[in-house]
Amino acid sequence: MDSQTIKYIMIPVIGAIIGLFTNYLAIKMLFRPFKPIKFLGMTLPFTPGVIPKEHHRLAEKIGETVGEHLVTADSLHDLFKKDEVKNKIYKALDSMYGQFGILSSFITDDIKQMISEKVIGMIDTELPSILDEMDVKDTVTRKVKEFSLERLEEIIISVTRKELAYVTYFGGVLGFVIGCVQLLIFVI
């Protein structure tokens, strides 16, 4: 292979490498560094990373989303309408009846059914007020704020690993395409 051909191949390849590296670096900079870096008394730009810098605001948004949209009185009410949830409660109560010894023989299936329905109804009715007192939003917000930055990074990456890899690879593809365009401009 002559040196001219190598030059033609290298331009798109170098573009792909630059694209891969810059997207990889940009993703890393979402999470790192965890603390501001000072140089000559000034904080370097982009330090700390976006996630560490916005940790508390992110925690508040997660708490708000969970508390106001995911774990709500309506979602719990819907949960207790599901047959599999009712069956689990029936089974739990049924195993409890067995602990009554000889008295359990006096509890008929009709009584068991009635008690189970009352318990499910009571849970369905009382759980929203318990949920309000528990304040899911504040509980989730506090818990997320307590996560170390390393743990938060681990959680976010575990959820988005595949998508972040695609972003990195897309940078390589885009860099390769830009390298091909540069090659065309160079040749023309």
Side-chain angles (χ1 to χ4, degrees), residues 82-94 120:
K82 293 183 178 183
D83 288 336
E84 59 266 17
V85 172
K86 288 180 181 180
N87 288 336
K88 285 184 180 184
I89 293 172
Y90 291 145
K91 286 179 185 176
L93 290 171
D94 198 40
I120 290 170

Side-chain angles (χ1 to χ4, degrees), residues 14-15 17 28-29 41-42 49 73 77 83 100 110-111 113-114 120 123 134 144-145 151 169 173 177 185:
I14 289 172
I17 292 170
K28 284 294 178 196
M29 287 176 68
M42 295 172 35
H77 182 68
D83 288 336
F100 294 150
D110 289 340
I111 293 172
Q113 180 73 23
M114 182 186 70
I120 290 170
I123 292 172
M134 191 174 99
V144 174
K145 283 181 180 178
R151 179 69 180 132
Y169 300 142
V173 170
V177 170
I185 292 170

Side-chain angles (χ1 to χ4, degrees), residues 30-48:
L30 288 171
F31 303 100
R32 308 272 174 144
F34 292 134
K35 296 180 187 224
I37 298 174
K38 303 269 186 191
F39 183 72
L40 300 174
M42 295 172 35
T43 301
L44 292 179
F46 311 113
T47 67

